[in-house]
Amino acid sequence: MKGTLIYFSPCGSTRKVAELIKSEFVKYNWEIQMLDMTKDNDLFPNGDIEKFINKIEGHDLLLVGGPIYIDHLHYNVLKVLKALQLADGEKYSKDAAVFTTFGKITPGVGSLEAAIELKATGRNTWAAIEVDSEHCVARNIPYHISEGLPGREVETLVSQLVEYLIKIVDLKDKPLKGIAEKLKSRFDDFPKLMDERKVTKSSFPNIEFNYDLCKQCLLCVKKCPVNYLIVKDGYPVTSLIDSCVHCTNCLFYCPTGAVKMDLFDKEPFYRKQLKEQNLQPDGTSISSLILAD
Ligand SMILES: Cc1cc2nc3c(=O)[nH]c(=O)nc-3n(C[C@H](O)[C@H](O)[C@H](O)COP(=O)(O)O)c2cc1C
Ligand code: SF4
Ligand code: SF4
């Protein structure tokens, strides 16, 4: 049997989960195609989604994964999901599953959105896993959230997910309802979410370089998940295509503090969010597994 795993992972947590899922499937002698959107030259900066979709090989199960940005599945993943209608035909199974990672604040409506998009391409989403992970923005301020996650704590959930999916693929009579039905009420819990899609761009400042501090190591360029940073005369510059996803990798990895991004107001915001939900920044993982009824 064969599975295809498509994922986007600007800061690496979603990739960790993808690797865990793959290793679990391999135990059952499944072959797994890993299709990482991150830094993909067709997708970024060119946006040639069709070329990316053409890389999808025939499979018995499709798994799609990405991070939660402002309560939504990352828009780059949603774009690929919409384009999945291009991967149509007998060699592509209609069975699907979703995995998301989030920085403890909320998994939002990411799994639901993915299931809806998959449904629109004729696919049924039978399970989702929502994994509590290090908050990539909070890495840069003195208020780390879910530092060190995902770790071994998620292994049990992943093995339950894979065991369930392997059974589902073999079933002639599938469950009546996929997870889209089950999660439908999440839109009621987050009434304003759909209006907040634009928040990322307005609340996350653009990056700037202080070239006096730059030692031209180009780590920032290497770590930029969407190839937004390019090299000019040996220095990093932002490319003309405005595709920065505000993942903060360039800020985090720069060894000299030459990347500037104004995150001063984020700490009170995160404290408030977690306090309202009675959550500690670290401590117990709130990852969860959602299975179809
Ligand atoms: C712009 C932005 C918005 C985010 N919004 C949320 C959010 O709404 N809820 C949450 O719990 N985590 C949020 N996060 C944290 C990420 O979901 C989390 O770090 C995720 O694991 C990143 O995945 P990756 O490491 O695969 O890139 C956000 C991160 C960024 C950069
Ligand atoms: S990571 Fe920092 S020091 Fe290295 S090239 Fe980028 S801005 Fe310059
Ligand atoms: S420029 Fe920096 S913040 Fe923007 S996508 Fe690239 S690494 Fe992330």
Side-chain angles (χ1 to χ4, degrees), residues 207 224-226 228-229 244-250 261:
I207 66 148
C224 179
V226 288
Y228 176 56
L229 300 181
C244 172
V245 291
H246 309 99
C247 66
T248 73
N249 261 354
C250 49
M261 193 189 258

Side-chain angles (χ1 to χ4, degrees), residues 223-287:
K223 293 287 182 180
C224 179
V226 288
N227 306 326
Y228 176 56
L229 300 181
I230 52 174
V231 187
K232 199 173 170 197
D233 300 330
Y235 283 94
V237 290
T238 55
S239 66
L240 288 177
I241 299 167
D242 183 13
S243 56
C244 172
V245 291
H246 309 99
C247 66
T248 73
N249 261 354
C250 49
L251 180 75
F252 183 70
Y253 286 105
C254 176
T256 64
V259 177
K260 294 194 289 177
M261 193 189 258
D262 199 354
L263 295 173
F264 72 96
D265 62 341
K266 293 284 176 279
E267 183 171 341
F269 170 78
Y270 293 141
R271 279 188 190 280
K272 187 167 169 276
Q273 293 281 314
L274 293 181
K275 200 172 165 206
E276 277 170 12
Q277 298 165 72
N278 220 0
L279 293 169
Q280 294 301 316
D282 296 312
T284 324
S285 155
I286 55 164
S287 302

Side-chain angles (χ1 to χ4, degrees), residues 10-77:
C11 300
S13 288
T14 313
R15 183 174 302 107
K16 267 193 206 169
V17 179
E19 299 284 355
L20 266 177
I21 294 174
K22 177 184 172 180
S23 60
E24 199 59 34
F25 271 110
V26 167
K27 288 184 194 161
Y28 292 88
N29 293 323
W30 274 52
E31 190 192 329
I32 296 292
Q33 179 196 12
M34 299 290 262
L35 257 185
D36 189 353
M37 293 169 58
T38 324
K39 268 194 134 17
D40 183 273
N41 287 323
D42 295 325
L43 290 176
F44 310 115
N46 302 324
D48 192 341
I49 292 194
E50 197 167 336
K51 210 165 167 193
F52 180 80
I53 296 288
N54 282 338
K55 294 184 218 174
I56 303 176
E57 296 164 3
H59 51 252
D60 303 288
L61 177 69
L62 177 69
L63 290 109
V64 183
I68 299 300
Y69 273 29
I70 320 283
D71 309 326
H72 293 277
L73 184 57
H74 197 280
Y75 47 81
N76 282 327
V77 184

Side-chain angles (χ1 to χ4, degrees), residues 179-249:
I179 61 156
E181 279 295 306
K182 196 168 177 173
L183 297 179
K184 216 163 51 183
S185 63
R186 283 206 188 175
F187 280 139
D188 306 333
D189 297 338
F190 298 94
K192 279 191 275 166
L193 281 182
M194 299 314 282
D195 302 324
E196 285 173 6
R197 262 171 203 268
K198 293 180 193 136
V199 171
T200 311
K201 282 206 167 164
S202 58
S203 77
F204 283 84
N206 287 331
I207 66 148
E208 283 172 33
F209 292 102
N210 179 346
Y211 290 112
D212 291 339
L213 295 178
C214 177
K215 61 166 193 163
Q216 298 175 277
C217 69
L218 301 181
L219 250 185
C220 52
V221 177
K222 198 173 151 212
K223 293 287 182 180
C224 179
V226 288
N227 306 326
Y228 176 56
L229 300 181
I230 52 174
V231 187
K232 199 173 170 197
D233 300 330
Y235 283 94
V237 290
T238 55
S239 66
L240 288 177
I241 299 167
D242 183 13
S243 56
C244 172
V245 291
H246 309 99
C247 66
T248 73
N249 261 354

